[in-house]
Amino acid sequence: IIAVLIMRYKFVAVCGDRSGIKQRWGWIQSVMHDRDDDETAVKVQKRDKASVVFERHHSAQIERSTNLSNGTYAIHTFGGNTERKLCFDVAGRSKKKGAIIHQWKFHGLGNQKYRFELVDEKNAYYTIQCVESGLYAQIQNNSQHEHSEMVQCAKDEENQKFILICVDETKHIYKIMNAHSLMLLTTHNHSQQLHAKIVQRSCYGADDNNADSFLFE
């Protein structure tokens, strides 16, 4: 009996009469509405991330570029090292879908050569196709997470677009942004070791330590 009385007291204290129940339901709806607003704000922030990135790059005199001519290039991992001994390389010269793209000593074979094609001039989107395998570079599983790896896959119109951000046009030095995730490519932990994977990181501005610059030859 005591337990029943306590439960009844709590119910009346919280809800009261029907008007109290309506007030409580209105409060719940308000909280849910606020949460929806928060989720919308996150989506808007995510959608606007590209403009934030480009605004900061622009302030550092770095802009998205369509100046790279369609053609075949080796992508040397720069990392402040002008010796240019390492470059993008499909691991094991694999022709399989899902093969990792890492850095390796430059030897000039087809697994280190990539066709860049400007497929959307308005948005400055390029595709990157490995010459030897004929497959296209993209982030594994189309991930938008930090440190997700770059792989080669069959052609996919939506998830294989990249943006070049010019660092030094005369020397063909660029940063590479994944248009799907709006993250920039880098070697894992900026490593200059063999086998270091090419991954994506969130980066803002020219001097951001997360961002690597790459030399195109």
Side-chain angles (χ1 to χ4, degrees):
I1 294 174
I2 294 174
V4 171
L5 289 174
I6 291 173
M7 291 178 64
R8 179 182 178 85
Y9 171 79
K10 287 183 176 180
F11 179 81
V12 172
V14 173
C15 298
D17 57 9
R18 289 187 178 180
S19 62
I21 294 175
K22 290 180 179 179
Q23 290 175 357
R24 178 62 59 180
W25 176 243
W27 175 80
I28 292 172
Q29 287 180 315
S30 175
V31 170
M32 295 298 292
H33 179 71
D34 291 342
R35 190 182 71 176
D36 290 343
D37 287 346
D38 290 341
E39 290 177 352
T40 302
V42 170
K43 291 177 182 178
V44 170
Q45 183 180 11
K46 188 173 184 180
R47 186 169 64 247
D48 290 343
K49 185 176 179 182
S51 62
V52 172
V53 170
F54 288 124
E55 180 181 347
R56 295 191 182 182
H57 278 293
H58 181 74
S59 66
Q61 296 184 341
I62 293 180
E63 303 173 359
R64 69 170 85 189
S65 176
T66 59
N67 293 331
L68 187 75
S69 299
N70 290 347
T72 300
Y73 300 87
I75 310 169
H76 296 273
T77 51
F78 196 62
N81 182 354
T82 56
E83 294 180 3
R84 306 190 304 253
K85 294 181 178 179
L86 303 174
C87 67
F88 281 32
D89 176 286
V90 176
R93 299 185 64 185
S94 175
K95 297 181 180 179
K96 294 182 179 179
K97 299 174 186 177
I100 290 291
I101 297 175
H102 63 180
Q103 69 177 0
W104 191 254
K105 292 179 180 179
F106 177 66
H107 50 62
L109 298 178
N111 66 318
Q112 293 184 347
K113 293 182 179 180
Y114 297 87
R115 293 189 188 96
F116 278 74
E117 181 181 359
L118 183 63
V119 294
D120 184 337
E121 187 169 0
K122 179 180 178 181
N123 293 300
Y125 292 158
Y126 285 84
T127 57
I128 306 175
Q129 181 185 26
C130 176
V131 169
E132 186 162 270
S133 67
L135 300 176
Y136 289 79
Q138 71 177 64
I139 297 301
Q140 194 170 41
N141 299 322
N142 304 322
S143 173
Q144 298 190 32
H145 295 115
E146 296 272 346
H147 300 290
S148 295
E149 300 165 355
M150 194 177 193
V151 297
Q152 63 177 10
C153 292
K155 190 170 185 179
D156 178 347
E157 298 291 344
E158 294 302 318
N159 300 309
Q160 294 170 346
K161 297 173 182 176
F162 294 88
I163 299 164
L164 300 183
I165 301 173
C166 186
V167 177
D168 188 328
E169 184 178 349
T170 61
K171 295 182 179 179
H172 285 180
I173 298 174
Y174 297 88
K175 297 177 188 291
I176 306 175
M177 174 178 281
N178 175 14
H180 180 64
S181 66
L182 303 178
M183 295 184 186
L184 292 171
L185 301 184
T186 178
T187 55
H188 186 64
N189 293 330
H190 310 292
S191 173
Q192 294 190 28
Q193 300 298 314
L194 299 180
H195 298 294
K197 296 175 181 177
I198 308 302
V199 300
Q200 65 180 7
R201 293 291 309 274
S202 295
C203 305
Y204 303 95
D207 298 325
D208 193 307
N209 291 329
N210 285 343
D212 280 348
S213 300
F214 302 107
L215 177 68
F216 289 63
E217 282 189 334

